[in-house]
Amino acid sequence: MGVLALQGDTREHLAALRAAGAEATTVRRPAELERVDALVIPGGESTTMSHLLREFELLEPLRARLADGMPAYGSCAGMILLATEIVDAGVPGREAVPLRGIDMTVRRNAFGRQVDSFEEDIDFEGLDGPVHAVFIRAPWVERVGPEVEVLATAAGHPVAVRQGRMLATSFHPEMTGDRRVHAMFVDSI
């Protein structure tokens, strides 16, 4: 299993995956992407990550792997990138680029700016007890396709979704020490 290591909280996801029983490695190049059976796309800055996907020639190979059914989990910026459509994608020429992995429309920075970041306990379908969610310049989901299952909501909007073997959260479970979301992803593979 790989963690996209272009920008963002890679180390925390590697630790969470390993704690959930997965062998995890970083992915920065197309050859590394070819060697993994699943991928985590971490939080970070979605427009910067999109730029780096192009620079490292990973954008089209990653889209192809996702279209072929490679399991993926995206948190925060990773959720944005896994979408089929992004609202407020960024300034022209520096937009966040949808990977089209999950049939959803995501709004970047939906909960507000950095100073509006917050933490909240939320109910999460399929997990025992609430999840402590850390929202940092977080997105939310504005539309889900018919095959998308909403797993959690906050402020009336979906913040965790699953479609087949793809999972996305608008919050950062890797920052809390609660490994249940990562375990759910690992177990789905």
Side-chain angles (χ1 to χ4, degrees), residues 1-3 14 17-26 35-38 186:
M1 180 170 304
V3 175
L14 287 169
L17 290 169
R18 290 172 180 150
E23 290 184 28
T25 186
T26 57
R35 290 192 292 267
V36 299
D37 58 356
V186 170

Side-chain angles (χ1 to χ4, degrees), residues 134-153:
V134 177
F135 294 90
I136 303 171
R137 291 180 56 211
W140 66 39
V141 178
E142 296 200 343
R143 179 202 59 83
V144 295
E147 303 295 317
V148 178
E149 177 185 7
V150 175
L151 302 174
T153 61

